[in-house]
Amino acid sequence: MKQTGPSLISPPIGDEAYKDLEEAVGPEFVTREPAVLDGYAWQPLWNEGPEMWVHRPIAVVLPASTEEVQAVVKICNKHGLKFKAICTGWGALAGPRCENVVQIELRRMDRILEIDEKNMFVVVEPHAIGGQVMAETMRKGLHTHIVSSGAASSPLASATSCVGCAPDGTYMNWSSRNLLGVEWVLPDGEVIRLGTLGSGDGWFCGDGPGPSLRGVLRGRLGAFGGNGVFTKCALKLYNWPGPPEPVPEGFLYDTELELPPHCKAYIMFFPDRKSLADATQAITVEGIGYNAFKPGMGSLLTMIVPHLLHKESWKKAKYLKKAIQAFNYQFLEVLATDSAEELEFQEAVMRDEVSKHGGFMMDMEHTGMAEMIFWTFVLSSNYPIFFKAAGMFITAYGQDESHHSMVMASPDGEKIKQKWIDRGGILDDNADSGIHFMMEESTVSHYEEPIEFDHRNPDQTRTIKPIEMEFTHMQAEHCMESGITSPVMRKMFGPTEGFYTKWQKGIGKIIDPRGCADDYLYNAEPVEGEPLPDDPAILEMTEKLADIATKMAWTEDGPLE
Amino acid sequence: MATVAESPVKKRLSDIVGSQAVSDKPDVLQSYAGGPGSAPRGKPIATVRPRNRNEVQAIVRLANELGINLVPASSGPPRFRGGTVPCEAGVIVDLSAMDRIVRVDRLNMVAIIEPGVTFARFKAEAEKQQLRVFMPLLPRSTKSALASYLDREPITIPKYHWDMSDPMLTAEIVFGEGDLFRTGSAAGPGSLEDQWKMGLAQKNPEGPAQTSFNRVVQGAQGTLGIVTWASVKLGMLPEIKRCYFAQDDSLERLVDFSYRVHRIKLADDFLILDRMALASALAESPDEIRALAEKQAPYTLIYCVCGYWHFPEKRVAYQEKGISGIAQHYGVRLTNEVPGAGSKRMSEIIDNPSSEPYWKLRLKGGVREVFFLTTMDKTPGFIKQMETLAEERGFPVGDIGLYIQPVQQGRNCHMEFQIYYNPDDEPETARANKLFKEASRAMAGSGAFFSRPYGPWADIAYSRCPDTVWMLKEIKEMLDPNRVLNRGKLCFGEEI
Ligand SMILES: Cc1cc2nc3c(=O)[nH]c(=O)nc-3n(C[C@H](O)[C@H](O)[C@H](O)COP(=O)(O)OP(=O)(O)OC[C@H]3O[C@@H](n4cnc5c(N)ncnc54)[C@H](O)[C@@H]3O)c2cc1C
C-alpha cells in the first residue's frame, strides 16, 4: 500500500502565514501538527484509482463564521497558499489535491439558522448535517432531500458543491435544484450572495435579478471546493406526512418503528429490463412515491449478507447466482401520502402497471420488512453500510438522463463488471448491482454501478482505474458525459461536450484571479510530462479513450451530425 | 471599430440570409419599438430573419466585425415590456422564422422547440401526443414559447414548477463571438440524433460538468447569448380537468389556503386574480369588463384538479377531498362558478393563449405592469402599498388589476399589478407611468424582488446587489467581449 510520501507532503507552512491564521480564528482552531494533518490526507474513498492518500494539507483551520472563512481565504491569497473546504468529509473529493493547501474544516459552522415553515425552506450552515436538519424540520411536517451518503452528510455540501442525487429525489428533487439563496466566499476572499439574498430580500430565491448565477456556481456536478467556500444556503423543504418525532428503537436493519398512517413500502418485480423501464417510468410520472429506487440485487446482497460474497462456495454457486439475477428487475417504492385515498390511488397505479407488464408486487408488510425499509429510506440511514462487504467502493457510470437510456444501458455496465469479477479484481456481487432512481418525479433518472473492492488488497486496488476507464468509454459510447472530473479526463472529453472547459475556466479566472483555490477537481490542467503508468490495462484504455474522444470531439460547427 | 452607419450592414446581412430576410422599412422597425413607457434610447436600424443556427452564428460574427448591436427577438407584436427596444441603435435579430418543433417525445415527455414556435402551435402539436404544454397565464397569441421560458415567465401550474428554470431543460446557444454551445445533457458527446439513438432525450438541465449555462442565459434578455433551440418539459395531458374557484374579501385567507394546498401538491393550475384582472380575462369590451368586475369578490382564487393517464377519477377524487378539507379548515368557500365563468369555460381560458384583444389591453388599450417575486405571505402588504400610492397620486385604484402566481411549488410567487390606462389620453398615460415608476421603486424598498428586470427596473434591481452586478459584468465580458448582444440592457449599460 502506498504511504503518504514526499511527493504528497508540501514544505511546512511559513510561520508568518501560520500566525496570521491563528489570529484569524484563534490559536486553538488551527493546527499544523503532522499527525492531525495526516488524518486529512488519508482518503481512500473516491480517490483516484489505487491511491489511498491525498496531499497532506499544510494546516487545518476551523473557522466559526463567514468572516473567519473570508479572513482565512484572504490569508491564503496573501501568502500564495491554496485552500480547500472540507465539510462532512466522506472522501477524497474534499481532500487537498495539490501542494500548499490549507484545509478549511467547517465543522464549527453547524447551525440551522432558520426554518421557514410556510415558504418551505431551511437556512443552513455547512456542517448542519442531514440528520440534524431532518430532526428539526420533521417537527414542522417538513423534510429535506438527503443524498445517499446518508444523514451524516452535509446537505449544503451536496447542494452547492458535490453531485446531489438520491432515491428521495422523485418527491424531494436533487440537491442542485433545491438551492435557493446562497452565501459564497469567493477564492479571493470576497463574499457574494445570490438571488434575493444579494438584494437584501431574504432567502427565498437563488436566481436573478436577470441571469442566474446558480449556473456559474455549479452544474451537474459541483466544483468540489474548487470555486470557494459556501458558508450558508437556503434549501427547499418538502411535505412530511409522518410523525414529528420518530423515535426508533434498535439500529439500522433491526430498527423498530411503526409505519405511519398512509405510508407503505412495496417491492415490484418485472420479467425483464424493458418492462421495468416502461412500468416504472409510467408510475413515477404520475407522481407516485416518496422514495423510488431500483436497487441492484448485488447491492442488496452486499448489505445483507456481506460475508457470503467472500466464500468460495458463492463463487461456484452458478445456479443460485442465476436465480438471484432473475430478481434483478425490481423496483422499490416507499409511499408516504396524506390520506387513505391518496395511498389507494398510488397503489392502484402501481398495481395497474405491474400487471400490464407481467410483473408482481409485494406489500412489504407481508414480509415483516416494511417498517425497516420505510424508515431506513426516509431517514437515509442505511447507505454507509455499503462499506461493509469489501471495505471500499467506487461508483462507476454515474449518469443522469431519460429513464430508459439509464435502465437500458445497465447490461453494458454489468458486462464490464463481470469481466473484472472473473479476473478477481473486485468483489463478486453477481455484477447485477446497477441502481436507478429519479429526479422530479421522472424528469431525470440516474444510473450507477457500485463496485466494491478491498482497499488493502493491491490486486484489487490496481483494477479500479482501468474499470473507471472502461466505464468512461462506455459513457462516451452511450453519448453520456464523462462522469469523472480529473484534469486528464477534462482535457480529453471537454471537446466532446462543446469545449465546456473553455467557459468553465473563464469562470475560474473571474472568481479566482490569483489561482488560490485547490481546483484540481474543477479547472486545473494536467501536469505536463507525468510518466505513463506501466499497467497494460491502463495503457490500453488510455488509447481507447483518446480514440473515442477524438472521434466524438466537436468541430467549430458543433458536434459531428 | 466601424460604426453602423458607415458600414454596408444591409448588404452584408443580406449576404448571410438573402435580401428578402433583411428589412429597414420604418413600419417593420416600428413594430419592435416596444410599446408604452419603453422610451427608446436607440432605434432599430434593420431587422434580419435568420432561418437556422449557422445564419445566427454568421450574423453574430458579422456584428463582431462591424461593431453592430444585435437585439434578439422571437415573439411577434404587440410588445410592451421593452425587451426588444434597443438601448443603442441596432439590428433586430428576429428569430421567428426559426419555428420548427424539432421533436415531441411522448415517452420522455419532452420537446425541442425553436424560438419562433408560438404557444398555440406548440400546444396543438404536443396535444397530438396527449402531452401538455406548460404555459404562462394567457400569453398573447404571438408569444414565443421559448422566449417565455427563457425569461422565466411563471407557468400556471406551481406543482410542476420545481425550479425557477422550469420548464426549460437544455439549450443550444450562440455566444457573443459566435461560438456554439449546448447546455445540460445536450452538450454531448454526440449530436442530437446520436443521443436519440441511445435513448437520451436532452432531459438533464444541469451541466455540462460544473456549470449550467442555461441558467445563465435565462433571464439575460438576450445579452449573453442567442438561444437557437431549447428542450422543454411537457406534462401529461389530463383526462379529467376540473376548475374551481374561491372568492373572498380576505387575501390572507386565500394565502393560508394556498400554502397548505401546495404543501401537499394537490392542485394543478393555481392562481389568484383580483376582480379587474379576472373580468379582463373573462370579458372583452371595457363596459363588459367593468360590469363583470362589479359582480366579483375582491379576490378570486382559481385552481384545477386533474386526473391523468391512470385512474383519473381516483386522483381527482382524493385531491378534491383533500382540498375541500383544507378549505373548511381555513373557512374558504369553494365554488364551481363565478360571475361570468363556470368550471369548463375557465379551464378553456387558462388552457389557451389570450384571444384578441390581449387580455391586459382590453380595458383601456394600455397596461403598465409591475411584477416581481415575493412570498405569498407578503402579498397583502404590497397590495396596501399600491393602493396607498395610487390614492396619493390620484390614480383610480379600480383601474389596477392584480395577478398572483405561486411558483416553485408555492415557495414564492410572481406578483403582478396591471395598471390599465388609455394610451391616447396623455395625462392618464403620464399618471400611469408615474405610478408605475413610483410603485416599482417603493415596492423594491419593501422587498419586491425584480428578478426579471425590464426597463427602469434594471437600475432599481441592480443598485441593490453590487456583487451580483460585478459578477454579471465579468460574465458578459467573457461571453460577449465586444458587446454585440443587446448592448446596454440589464446592468450592462454605462450607468451601473
Ligand atoms: C455510501 C455513499 C453513498 C453515496 N451516494 C451518493 C449518491 O447517491 N448521490 C450523491 O450525490 N452522492 C453520493 N455520495 C457522495 C456524496 O455526494 C458526498 O459524499 C456528499 O454529498 C457530500 O458530503 P461529504 O461528506 O462528502 O462532503 P465533503 O467531502 O466535505 O464535501 C464534498 C465536496 O464539496 C466540497 N465542499 C464541501 N463543503 C463545501 C463548502 N462549504 N464550500 C465549498 N466546497 C465545499 C468539498 O471540498 C468536496 O469537494 C455517496 C457517498 C457515500 C459515502
Side-chain angles (χ1 to χ4, degrees):
Chain A
M1 189 193 320
K2 193 167 164 183
Q3 295 295 331
T4 169
S7 67
L8 296 173
I9 299 179
S10 313
I13 184 170
D15 288 343
E16 203 187 322
Y18 192 74
K19 204 160 143 278
D20 283 353
L21 290 174
E22 283 186 323
E23 267 168 31
V25 296
E28 67 274 46
F29 296 115
V30 53
T31 183
R32 52 182 163 179
E33 173 59 49
V36 178
L37 302 182
D38 268 350
Y40 287 85
W42 168 251
Q43 294 280 19
L45 178 65
W46 317 124
N47 206 328
E48 270 187 52
E51 301 298 332
M52 296 294 121
W53 297 89
V54 291
H55 284 264
R56 182 200 270 178
I58 53 172
V60 177
V61 277
L62 288 87
S65 66
T66 305
E67 291 72 27
E68 289 189 4
V69 171
Q70 278 186 278
V72 169
V73 171
K74 283 185 177 163
I75 291 164
C76 292
N77 273 269
K78 178 176 150 196
H79 293 281
L81 307 176
K82 301 228 175 217
F83 70 87
K84 174 112 176 186
I86 184 163
C87 192
T88 38
W90 272 97
L93 300 173
R97 303 304 279 268
C98 60
E99 286 196 337
N100 281 328
V101 175
V102 172
Q103 182 96 69
I104 302 181
E105 155 73 89
L106 294 162
R107 68 179 56 238
R108 290 175 70 213
M109 298 175 70
D110 61 354
R111 290 174 305 163
I112 296 172
L113 298 170
E114 181 186 343
I115 298 173
D116 186 330
E117 189 178 341
K118 276 187 171 174
N119 298 306
M120 295 197 291
F121 64 80
V122 60
V123 182
V124 287
E125 290 189 330
H127 215 282
I129 62 165
Q132 181 188 345
V133 175
M134 191 164 33
E136 295 304 326
T137 56
M138 276 181 165
R139 285 185 224 280
K140 298 180 187 294
L142 292 162
H143 198 350
T144 194
H145 157 76
I146 293 171
V147 300
S148 316
S149 42
S153 60
S154 154
L156 176 143
S158 300
T160 58
S161 309
C162 186
V163 198
C165 52
D168 63 13
T170 193
Y171 192 83
M172 293 195 274
N173 217 332
W174 287 353
S175 302
S176 64
R177 312 265 295 166
N178 280 330
L179 201 55
L180 298 166
V182 188
E183 182 180 85
W184 176 10
V185 176
L186 298 174
D188 63 0
E190 296 304 320
V191 178
I192 186 165
R193 295 178 177 87
L194 264 52
T196 42
L197 190 64
S199 299
D201 295 332
W203 292 94
F204 66 84
C205 180
D207 310 84
S212 173
L213 295 178
R214 280 171 68 196
V216 172
L217 184 154
R218 65 163 293 167
R220 185 174 81 89
L221 308 167
F224 302 113
N227 63 355
V229 184
F230 299 96
T231 42
K232 296 181 188 101
C233 76
L235 299 170
K236 291 174 191 164
L237 296 173
Y238 294 84
N239 179 47
W240 162 241
E245 231 173 301
V247 186
E249 275 181 30
F251 184 66
L252 285 176
Y253 295 131
D254 295 325
T255 306
E256 273 184 32
L257 195 56
E258 278 180 12
L259 267 188
H262 322 312
C263 293
K264 286 265 191 186
Y266 278 97
I267 188 145
M268 299 172 264
F269 295 93
F270 298 94
D272 54 44
R273 213 175 294 266
K274 175 80 171 41
S275 335
L276 167 83
D278 288 345
T280 51
Q281 164 87 2
I283 290 167
T284 44
V285 295
E286 288 274 4
I288 310 302
Y290 203 72
N291 273 248
F293 182 45
K294 186 234 159 246
M297 278 309 286
S299 307
L300 290 179
L301 295 177
T302 57
M303 289 185 179
I304 299 165
V305 283
H307 299 297
L308 171 73
L309 307 185
H310 294 280
K311 296 218 154 84
E312 276 306 305
S313 52
W314 167 247
K315 281 188 197 141
K316 293 177 198 144
K318 198 167 140 196
Y319 295 106
L320 175 63
K321 283 179 168 179
K322 268 211 154 38
I324 290 173
Q325 246 162 17
F327 288 97
N328 197 30
Y329 310 120
Q330 60 171 295
F331 201 79
L332 196 85
E333 281 282 2
V334 168
L335 311 183
T337 69
D338 279 88
S339 64
E341 293 84 357
E342 184 183 0
L343 178 63
E344 203 183 300
F345 166 74
Q346 297 209 0
E347 290 172 318
V349 175
M350 290 194 304
R351 227 173 270 122
D352 183 51
E353 283 298 322
V354 166
S355 93
K356 262 189 217 156
H357 290 91
F360 66 96
M361 63 192 257
M362 250 196 303
D363 179 342
M364 298 299 274
E365 277 185 272
H366 299 155
T367 67
M369 295 202 295
E371 294 83 352
M372 183 272 282
I373 297 276
F374 180 88
W375 284 107
T376 47
F377 271 91
V378 163
L379 301 177
S380 295
S381 56
N382 59 339
Y383 300 113
I385 208 167
F386 221 74
F387 292 99
K388 213 168 139 188
M392 197 46 63
F393 77 100
I394 57 160
T395 60
Y397 208 65
Q399 289 293 342
D400 313 300
E401 240 286 340
S402 73
H403 190 47
H404 280 71
S405 69
M406 294 294 102
V407 175
M408 300 317 279
S410 40
D412 289 357
E414 286 170 12
K415 260 184 236 150
I416 298 176
K417 269 189 78 172
Q418 190 60 56
K419 185 174 97 185
W420 288 96
I421 289 171
D422 293 344
R423 292 179 188 178
I426 53 177
L427 181 76
D428 181 359
D429 64 358
N430 217 15
D432 58 356
S433 56
I435 54 183
H436 306 287
F437 45 76
M438 274 107 145
M439 173 190 104
E440 294 177 5
E441 294 175 358
S442 76
T443 297
V444 170
S445 175
H446 178 79
Y447 168 34
E448 70 184 60
E449 264 318 323
I451 290 161
E452 279 119 311
F453 64 101
D454 180 351
H455 57 298
R456 293 151 303 190
N457 176 353
D459 286 341
Q460 298 213 332
T461 53
R462 88 163 64 94
T463 65
I464 296 309
K465 188 131 195 152
I467 293 178
E468 279 181 343
M469 292 170 98
E470 283 200 39
F471 270 99
T472 303
H473 191 267
M474 170 187 152
Q475 272 157 359
E477 281 180 323
H478 282 257
C479 297
M480 300 297 306
E481 66 169 294
S482 159
I484 298 171
T485 176
S486 69
V488 173
M489 287 297 163
R490 283 193 300 272
K491 186 162 184 165
M492 204 180 263
F493 284 95
T496 71
E497 296 161 36
F499 295 96
Y500 76 85
T501 44
K502 171 180 165 182
W503 308 108
Q504 192 165 296
K505 277 192 177 156
I507 290 174
K509 283 207 185 97
I510 294 169
I511 60 172
D512 191 8
R514 282 181 288 278
C516 196
D518 169 358
D519 68 347
Y520 179 88
L521 296 170
Y522 181 45
N523 274 327
E525 281 289 316
V527 179
E528 293 287 327
E530 283 243 304
L532 280 174
D534 51 12
D535 184 331
I538 296 180
L539 287 175
E540 185 197 330
M541 282 317 300
T542 307
E543 252 173 56
K544 277 178 109 174
L545 286 178
D547 255 14
I548 196 160
T550 310
K551 231 190 280 163
M552 301 191 88
W554 276 39
T555 67
E556 265 200 11
D557 296 325
L560 290 177
E561 304 288 346
Chain B
M1 199 185 283
T3 68
V4 171
E6 291 158 357
S7 53
V9 176
K10 199 172 159 193
K11 156 108 190 24
R12 296 287 301 275
L13 288 171
S14 303
D15 290 346
I16 297 171
V17 294
S19 57
Q20 75 297 339
V22 181
S23 171
D24 55 3
K25 288 197 186 113
D27 57 324
V28 175
L29 300 184
Q30 184 53 34
S31 70
Y32 299 91
S38 43
R41 281 185 273 166
K43 281 207 171 100
I45 53 165
T47 66
V48 56
R49 285 166 54 89
R51 276 152 309 195
N52 55 51
R53 72 136 198 262
N54 293 340
E55 291 182 358
V56 173
Q57 279 182 287
I59 292 165
V60 172
R61 287 185 180 131
L62 179 70
N64 276 270
E65 184 191 328
L66 302 180
I68 305 170
N69 176 29
L70 297 178
V71 181
S74 299
S75 306
R79 304 181 166 89
F80 39 78
R81 289 180 195 149
T84 56
V85 182
C87 287
E88 275 179 38
V91 171
I92 306 281
V93 184
D94 183 333
L95 300 157
S96 58
M98 293 175 66
D99 62 354
R100 285 182 317 146
I101 297 173
V102 178
R103 189 169 194 244
V104 177
D105 175 348
R106 185 177 195 272
L107 175 68
N108 294 302
M109 303 208 307
V110 64
I112 294 183
I113 50 172
E114 290 187 339
V117 176
T118 59
F119 275 113
R121 259 192 64 219
F122 187 21
K123 179 169 147 37
E125 207 52 39
E127 285 180 2
K128 285 183 195 157
Q129 302 207 41
Q130 297 302 302
L131 293 167
R132 158 156 82 172
V133 166
F134 296 117
M135 283 211 303
L137 180 63
L138 297 169
R140 57 185 209 264
S141 54
T142 54
K143 181 78 194 178
S144 150
L146 189 152
S148 169
Y149 298 150
L150 203 51
D151 191 27
R152 298 198 299 257
E153 220 174 353
I155 57 170
T156 56
I157 311 182
K159 176 162 103 173
Y160 293 124
H161 194 260
W162 293 80
D163 187 292
M164 282 315 287
S165 62
D166 273 334
M168 193 168 133
L169 295 169
T170 71
E172 181 178 83
I173 310 169
V174 175
F175 287 142
E177 288 187 292
D179 296 277
L180 191 75
F181 194 62
R182 288 180 182 171
T183 65
S185 53
S191 64
L192 291 183
E193 288 77 7
D194 295 334
Q195 294 195 338
W196 294 335
K197 262 185 233 148
M198 301 314 298
L200 275 64
Q202 296 77 46
K203 286 201 82 180
N204 191 349
E206 311 291 338
Q210 291 150 300
T211 59
S212 278
F213 276 97
N214 55 335
R215 286 192 193 277
V216 179
V217 293
Q218 273 191 300
Q221 295 178 17
T223 56
L224 299 178
I226 298 181
V227 174
T228 49
W229 55 250
S231 64
V232 299
K233 282 182 189 173
L234 295 167
M236 290 172 283
L237 193 66
E239 297 268 326
I240 302 176
K241 178 166 185 172
R242 287 191 203 139
C243 206
Y244 293 94
F245 307 88
Q247 290 206 317
D248 214 308
D249 299 342
S250 157
L251 181 62
E252 285 83 350
R253 216 178 352 249
L254 297 181
V255 165
D256 287 342
F257 172 77
S258 159
Y259 274 125
R260 189 66 204 159
V261 171
H262 285 118
R263 168 111 50 120
I264 314 182
K265 299 187 193 172
L266 284 175
D268 273 43
D269 303 78
F270 193 105
L271 53 116
I272 296 173
L273 297 172
D274 78 345
R275 48 162 63 105
M276 279 323 281
L278 175 63
S280 299
L282 296 178
E284 284 193 359
S285 75
D287 288 346
E288 283 169 345
I289 292 173
R290 290 214 185 271
L292 194 56
E294 285 285 302
K295 295 183 196 157
Q296 312 292 345
Y299 303 105
T300 301
L301 188 153
I302 301 163
Y303 71 88
C304 299
V305 287
C306 295
Y308 312 119
W309 298 346
H310 293 80
F311 308 103
E313 301 84 4
K314 255 187 200 297
R315 178 194 280 276
V316 165
Y318 91 73
Q319 293 185 341
E320 285 178 339
K321 188 171 169 212
I323 291 176
S324 62
I326 296 169
Q328 240 174 5
H329 179 83
Y330 289 106
V332 167
R333 210 171 67 82
L334 305 177
T335 60
N336 43 27
E337 60 179 348
V338 289
S343 171
K344 195 153 177 276
R345 170 143 196 259
M346 195 71 228
S347 171
E348 266 166 30
I349 287 175
I350 59 176
D351 273 350
N352 285 289
S354 169
S355 57
E356 291 301 325
Y358 179 59
W359 70 295
K360 295 180 196 174
L361 303 179
R362 286 175 191 168
L363 185 68
K364 299 194 125 192
V367 67
R368 299 290 336 244
E369 302 160 303
V370 180
F371 59 75
F372 49 82
L373 290 181
T374 183
T375 48
M376 291 293 281
D377 48 353
K378 299 221 172 83
T379 52
F382 285 115
I383 293 173
K384 274 204 195 85
Q385 200 171 8
M386 179 57 110
E387 285 173 355
T388 310
L389 264 175
E391 272 160 18
E392 282 170 9
R393 303 292 175 264
F395 194 91
V397 173
D399 285 359
I400 301 173
L402 169 75
Y403 164 39
I404 297 173
Q405 180 60 67
V407 295
Q408 296 214 73
Q409 301 185 317
R411 283 176 188 82
N412 37 73
C413 66
H414 161 96
M415 182 167 201
E416 175 176 311
F417 292 99
Q418 301 167 355
I419 305 172
Y420 310 116
Y421 69 95
N422 176 0
D424 299 327
D425 178 338
E426 254 180 57
E428 189 175 310
T429 306
R431 273 200 306 278
N433 281 335
K434 193 163 184 312
L435 179 61
F436 161 80
K437 279 195 192 131
E438 289 187 4
S440 302
R441 207 160 273 287
M443 290 180 183
S446 308
F449 183 61
F450 287 90
S451 77
R452 298 157 58 207
Y454 282 103
W457 296 337
D459 288 355
I460 297 175
Y462 287 118
S463 65
R464 304 176 72 226
C465 53
D467 301 334
T468 302
V469 169
W470 163 77
M471 192 179 275
L472 287 177
K473 284 188 169 180
E474 295 284 335
I475 301 285
K476 172 81 172 170
E477 181 64 32
M478 172 176 85
L479 297 178
D480 181 23
N482 297 319
R483 290 162 200 276
V484 302
L485 296 175
N486 218 351
R487 221 171 266 165
K489 284 278 160 69
L490 298 176
C491 55
F492 305 132
E494 296 309 315
E495 64 274 25
I496 292 178

